Amino acid sequence: MKISTKGRYALRMMVDLCRHRDEGYVALRDIAERQGISKKYLEQIVPLLNNAGMLQTGRGYQGGYRLLKEPSEYTVADILRTAEGSLAPVSCLEVSPVQCEHYNECATVGVWEGLYKVIDEYLSGITLADLAEEKPNEKN
């Protein structure tokens, strides 16, 4: 499984908003500049996060974006699912209940289900607050 730039940038944007939350609404151009991400790309990510109830939008001169909830209430899994659509390592596990006609006879499905469980548990155990406290390049 590979997380796309959309997922990675959504996560970086949310960490940036967390780190700058005391500033009120944060302008997208400021996030783009600090993160080295195209503002136009972030403009494509914002509606996903907005529709998922993760952001609050402020209009006008002092407008921008801020977190809707406390940083500890956002998990990496939630943010990536919002941006990516699914964390499933194979397409047959993206829908529940599984729709694959070979599911009951598949010799490899256990591998994919196990991997999916590990990915989900790991990413669900890391919050935005955890990431905001880390220094760049610090490992979990």
Side-chain angles (χ1 to χ4, degrees), residues 4 16 24 34 48 58 61 66 75 88-89 105 119-120 129 134:
S4 72
D16 191 279
R34 281 191 295 264
L48 300 172
Y61 176 70
R66 67 180 185 189
T75 67
E105 303 88 40
I119 290 168
D120 189 58
E134 287 187 14

Side-chain angles (χ1 to χ4, degrees), residues 89 93 108-121:
L93 297 179
T108 63
V109 73
V111 171
W112 308 129
E113 287 175 327
L115 179 59
Y116 192 12
K117 181 179 178 193
V118 169
I119 290 168
D120 189 58
E121 287 175 358

Side-chain angles (χ1 to χ4, degrees), residues 27-41:
L28 208 54
R29 67 175 147 62
D30 294 338
I31 298 168
E33 187 175 301
R34 281 191 295 264
Q35 296 300 317
I37 302 170
S38 158
K39 182 176 174 257
K40 286 195 180 284
Y41 203 138

Side-chain angles (χ1 to χ4, degrees), residues 38-53:
S38 158
K39 182 176 174 257
K40 286 195 180 284
Y41 203 138
L42 290 179
E43 287 170 347
Q44 296 173 30
I45 295 170
V46 164
L48 300 172
L49 299 171
N50 235 349
N51 292 338

Side-chain angles (χ1 to χ4, degrees), residues 38-128:
S38 158
K39 182 176 174 257
K40 286 195 180 284
Y41 203 138
L42 290 179
E43 287 170 347
Q44 296 173 30
I45 295 170
V46 164
L48 300 172
L49 299 171
N50 235 349
N51 292 338
M54 294 186 175
L55 300 178
Q56 186 172 27
T57 304
R59 306 267 182 228
Y61 176 70
Q62 297 292 327
Y65 301 92
R66 67 180 185 189
L67 301 178
L68 192 60
K69 303 181 280 188
E70 289 298 311
S72 60
E73 296 180 58
Y74 298 92
T75 67
V76 171
D78 292 336
I79 295 165
L80 291 178
R81 267 190 222 101
T82 297
E84 298 289 336
S86 173
L87 296 176
V90 291
S91 60
C92 65
L93 297 179
E94 288 179 343
V95 179
S96 183
V98 176
Q99 304 293 319
C100 179
E101 63 188 60
H102 304 289
Y103 180 77
N104 292 325
E105 303 88 40
C106 183
T108 63
V109 73
V111 171
W112 308 129
E113 287 175 327
L115 179 59
Y116 192 12
K117 181 179 178 193
V118 169
I119 290 168
D120 189 58
E121 287 175 358
Y122 176 72
L123 296 177
S124 293
I126 305 169
T127 68
L128 199 53

